[in-house]
Amino acid sequence: MRKNIDKRDRAGLFRDRLVQALAEKGENQSSLARLVGVDRSTISQLLTGQGARLPNAQVVAECATALDVSADWLLGLTERPERLADLLATSMTMTEAPRALIDETIFGWHQEAAGYKIRHVPATLPDMLKTRDMLRWEYEPQLGRTAEQAIGASEDRLNLMARSGSDYEIALPLHELEAFARAEGYYRGLPAHIRAEQIERLRQLYGTLYPALRIYVFDARRVFSSPVTIFGPLLAVLYLGRHYIAFRDSARVTSFSAHFDWLVREAELGARDFPFLLNRLERETAI
């Protein structure tokens, strides 16, 4: 429930915070008066006056701008002195995304979240679970020789997962797995022997890493998700194609986590059922 602040208390809080901001910015009454565009006596009254009177909105805004704090903080509406633009710059960043996950930023996020649960909805099959032949087929047409970097990056991430103490939850749409097994859509032209080896690779890794690795399969006709990764309580990263948008504020990270919880609740196949799905996909690969 929102608590109302008495006018006198708010006016006193404004004076205290104005004094604090002046000291931290290294300004005095005269310099602030020049920056705000008022007489020095007006600033003096703001700092030493008594009672419940507050300055008008224009003066509050100019003081906030001059002292590099938010007007909401000066007025006691928030405990964060940063201006909204600065808060957004800190809580949300946009990072260019390469064709393959080979950049240090992505790997750094995984290292930062070591020990936390990492939850992931990939754009295709998860890179770190792919065979080398699968990665070559996928990345060499676009990356050429640097496809080997993509292969190394995926192997590094798998090794990090095995030793970091993190739980990994992955949610995949059923149609993605079926398209892979049948060499349809994105996977058109993928040779049968690579698909068979990839399924066996998934079976081996899942048998070794479960329950630290859990894969859920959902029906995209009922539920949907863009590619996203949630690195514990630290950040959530949304994949746009050319860029990643990373959110660090707790409210958005919690919202992304709730979205993943929804995918798990609505999953067609739970984590225990994934090996049985691989058996079915193996039969479809052989057709």
Side-chain angles (χ1 to χ4, degrees), residues 52-87:
R53 187 175 179 181
L54 285 165
N56 63 44
Q58 179 65 26
V59 172
V60 173
E62 293 296 339
C63 285
T65 300
L67 299 175
D68 202 26
V69 296
S70 74
D72 282 353
W73 178 75
L74 285 176
L75 293 170
L77 300 176
T78 178
E79 295 303 313
R80 299 292 298 268
E82 302 98 322
R83 290 178 295 178
L84 180 60
D86 296 329
L87 285 172

Side-chain angles (χ1 to χ4, degrees), residues 155-175:
E155 292 175 345
D156 287 344
R157 198 156 300 123
L158 180 61
N159 292 333
L160 176 64
M161 173 192 164
R163 68 175 186 269
S164 68
S166 294
D167 280 0
Y168 276 70
E169 291 187 333
I170 296 173
L172 288 166
L174 179 60
H175 72 82

Side-chain angles (χ1 to χ4, degrees), residues 24-80:
E24 292 179 354
K25 189 70 174 176
E27 301 288 353
N28 55 38
Q29 293 185 29
S30 297
S31 60
L32 181 59
R34 288 194 300 272
L35 291 170
V36 173
V38 297
D39 294 335
R40 185 181 183 280
S41 60
T42 300
I43 300 299
S44 179
Q45 179 64 29
L46 292 179
L47 294 170
T48 62
Q50 301 298 317
R53 187 175 179 181
L54 285 165
N56 63 44
Q58 179 65 26
V59 172
V60 173
E62 293 296 339
C63 285
T65 300
L67 299 175
D68 202 26
V69 296
S70 74
D72 282 353
W73 178 75
L74 285 176
L75 293 170
L77 300 176
T78 178
E79 295 303 313
R80 299 292 298 268

Side-chain angles (χ1 to χ4, degrees), residues 194-260:
I194 294 180
R195 286 179 277 140
E197 290 171 358
Q198 179 61 66
I199 290 174
E200 182 58 29
R201 171 72 166 166
L202 289 172
R203 182 182 289 113
Q204 291 175 357
L205 287 175
Y206 205 70
T208 301
L209 298 173
Y210 180 87
L213 170 64
R214 298 184 293 279
I215 298 179
Y216 302 87
V217 179
F218 61 90
D219 185 348
R221 293 173 297 180
R222 294 180 55 249
V223 295
F224 173 77
S225 179
S226 298
V228 63
T229 306
I230 303 120
F231 295 89
L234 304 178
L235 75 157
V237 181
L238 183 66
Y239 179 54
L240 297 181
R242 289 187 60 199
H243 294 88
Y244 288 99
I245 301 181
F247 301 91
R248 286 190 175 272
D249 59 300
S250 58
R252 286 188 175 88
V253 174
T254 299
S255 178
F256 278 101
S257 295
H259 168 73
F260 197 96

